[in-house]
């Protein structure tokens, strides 16, 4: 009897120890997963945006002006900028883009992974691909989360892209001048069309990319697509996502740069009405879309591919070969 009493606590301790030891291990694994997503997303955004920065700047300059867009005029603008301001001027505003896009992409990709997990648990898809609607919702929520956190940096990037070097000498200078001359609220001008545009853009982009990977796996028998296939899937995702949200992107840029271009855009509807009245529906709200069909798919394709391959590399470095996304 005495022996039985003494052995009871010993057995109890053996039962408890594995449980308490398992919790920190699970926490560490989750932290590694989040950190990997943040690092992969940051790199993906930086590589993609730097690759298309000259085209991005040219697109913004057309979006915020009343000039008619054409491929010929876009080429002339790029060439004129190169002759008058130098080769690296084509990347003017890219430093502000990096300051914005690195946290934006890091948050967006990381949030997407987390929202997928949350929605998967909610709908009972643990460890499996989400169905179409939750897939769209996960992408929309991820884009909205990232946009809300980093919006003032997008405003700064737009201002630097459309102004000469003499007006704003640095990112900090943009913040100081806007705050002093136009008020802090200006840093969030164009925020509403941004969020309204991000919902279909991010939702459709992530939805299309994840859907194409799923269809590929089902029909090819391969667990993972090759890098060129990832680039193609990402390009399709960018094409669909950006085409759906493009008019709101034009409105956002007009509202962001109104203070330096002499316009007063007070709301989304009034901005749209003025653009349509002065420039027409297609030539105004879809100005520069053809350039976006070149720039967008390249950027999104590079972004998704870089994220996926970086995730795979980090997992292999941490756990050894054999683990893939």
């Amino acid at each position: 009897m005495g022996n039985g009493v003494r052995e009871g606590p010993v057995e109890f301790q053996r039962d408890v120890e594995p449980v308490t030891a398992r919790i920190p291990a699970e926490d560490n694994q989750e932290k590694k997963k989040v950190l990997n997503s943040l690092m992969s997303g940051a790199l993906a955004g930086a590589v993609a945006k730097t690759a298309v920065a000259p085209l991005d700047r040219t697109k913004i300059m057309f979006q915020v002006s009343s000039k008619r867009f054409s491929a010929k005029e876009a080429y002339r603008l790029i060439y004129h900028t190169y002759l008058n301001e130098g080769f690296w001027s084509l990347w003017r505003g890219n430093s502000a883009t990096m300051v914005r896009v690195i946290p934006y992409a890091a948050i967006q990709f990381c949030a997407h992974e987390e929202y997928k997990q949350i929605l998967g648990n909610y709908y009972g898809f643990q460890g499996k691909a989400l169905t179409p609607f939750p897939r769209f919702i996960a992408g929309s929520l991820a884009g909205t989360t990232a946009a809300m956190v980093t919006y003032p940096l997008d405003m700064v990037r737009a201002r630097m892209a459309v102004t000469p070097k003499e007006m704003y000498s640095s990112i900090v200078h943009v913040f100081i001048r806007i705050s002093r001359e136009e008020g802090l609220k200006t840093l969030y001008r164009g925020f509403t069309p941004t969020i309204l545009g991000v919902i279909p853009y991010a939702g459709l982009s992530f939805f299309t990319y994840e859907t194409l990977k799923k269809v590929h796996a089902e029909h090819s028998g391969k667990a993972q697509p090759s890098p060129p296939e990832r680039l193609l899937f990402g390009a399709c995702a960018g094409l669909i996502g950006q085409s759906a949200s493009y008019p709101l992107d034009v409105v956002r840029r007009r509202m962001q740069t109104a203070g330096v271009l002499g316009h007063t855009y007070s709301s989304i509807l009034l901005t749209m009405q003025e653009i349509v009245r002065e420039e027409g529906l297609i030539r105004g709200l879809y100005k520069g879309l053809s350039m976006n069909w070149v720039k967008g798919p390249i950027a999104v394709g590079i972004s998704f591919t870089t994220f996926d391959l970086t995730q795979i590399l980090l997992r292999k470095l941490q756990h050894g070969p054999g683990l893939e996304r």
Side-chain angles (χ1 to χ4, degrees):
M1 185 74 172
N3 289 340
V5 172
R6 281 194 300 270
E7 288 174 3
V10 176
E11 291 299 322
F12 178 75
Q13 289 297 326
R14 276 203 298 267
D15 289 339
V16 171
E17 282 174 8
V19 177
T20 56
R22 205 161 38 237
I23 294 171
E26 290 174 357
D27 287 346
N28 287 337
Q29 201 65 28
E30 185 62 28
K31 286 177 182 176
K32 280 184 181 179
K33 181 185 169 187
V34 171
L35 185 60
N36 285 354
S37 295
L38 288 170
M39 290 172 61
S40 301
L43 181 62
V47 172
K49 278 295 186 182
T50 300
V52 298
L55 294 175
D56 206 22
R57 186 189 179 198
T58 304
K59 181 201 73 172
I60 293 173
M61 291 174 78
F62 273 102
Q63 282 182 327
V64 301
S65 73
S66 58
K67 292 180 183 177
R68 183 176 175 180
F69 176 84
S70 69
K72 187 176 180 181
E73 287 300 318
Y75 170 76
R76 281 182 178 174
L77 179 58
I78 292 172
Y79 187 62
H80 179 78
T81 304
Y82 163 71
L83 288 179
N84 289 277
E85 301 178 41
F87 177 73
W88 294 113
S89 68
L90 296 174
W91 275 264
R92 174 163 168 74
N94 195 53
S95 57
T97 300
M98 290 300 101
V99 171
R100 179 191 74 90
V101 85
I102 288 174
Y104 180 92
I107 293 167
Q108 179 176 240
F109 278 105
C110 183
H112 182 246
E113 294 298 304
E114 295 303 309
Y115 285 131
K116 278 201 303 183
Q117 185 175 324
I118 292 168
L119 289 169
N121 292 337
Y122 181 79
Y123 285 101
F125 299 118
Q126 294 94 332
K128 299 178 183 178
L130 295 174
T131 52
F133 181 67
R135 208 177 299 153
F136 175 82
I137 293 298
S140 296
L141 289 173
T144 303
T145 301
M148 290 176 68
V149 174
T150 62
Y151 185 78
L153 295 169
D154 188 43
M155 159 70 82
V156 170
R157 182 259 186 279
R159 285 292 181 94
M160 290 188 75
V162 302
T163 55
K165 290 184 286 186
E166 296 75 26
M167 187 163 187
Y168 298 118
S169 59
S170 66
I171 296 169
V172 175
H173 188 209
V174 182
F175 275 110
I176 292 172
R177 281 197 63 174
I178 289 176
S179 301
R180 185 183 300 158
E181 298 173 9
E182 302 173 55
L184 287 172
K185 285 185 179 179
T186 304
L187 291 173
Y188 278 88
R189 182 180 292 160
F191 179 72
T192 303
T194 297
I195 294 299
L196 291 177
V198 158
I199 291 170
Y201 170 66
L204 286 171
S205 295
F206 279 106
F207 168 82
T208 303
Y209 185 68
E210 295 287 327
T211 299
L212 289 174
K213 286 204 302 182
K214 183 174 181 288
V215 171
H216 173 271
E218 290 172 352
H219 287 79
S220 69
K222 298 177 183 176
Q224 297 296 327
S226 64
E229 287 169 335
R230 291 180 192 273
L231 280 170
L232 179 61
F233 298 162
C236 292
L239 188 65
I240 293 170
Q242 293 191 341
S243 297
S245 61
Y246 196 79
L248 286 165
D249 190 43
V250 174
V251 171
R252 168 175 67 117
R253 293 304 186 192
R254 291 293 178 97
M255 294 180 77
Q256 285 177 336
T257 57
V260 293
L261 297 178
H263 291 282
T264 52
Y265 298 120
S266 57
S267 70
I268 298 172
L269 287 177
L270 289 176
T271 303
M272 280 188 167
Q273 286 173 3
E274 186 171 333
I275 292 171
V276 171
R277 185 174 65 250
E278 294 181 358
E279 303 165 50
L281 177 64
I282 303 299
R283 291 178 182 173
L285 292 178
Y286 288 91
K287 180 185 291 182
L289 178 59
S290 58
M291 178 175 284
N292 234 42
W293 284 343
V294 175
K295 177 193 75 71
I298 293 172
V300 178
I302 291 173
S303 181
F304 278 124
T305 303
T306 303
F307 177 78
D308 277 358
L309 296 182
T310 306
Q311 283 276 79
I312 291 169
L313 176 61
L314 289 172
R315 287 175 182 175
K316 282 183 176 179
L317 291 173
Q318 291 170 356
H319 305 289
L323 280 176
E324 286 199 357
R325 181 177 164 76

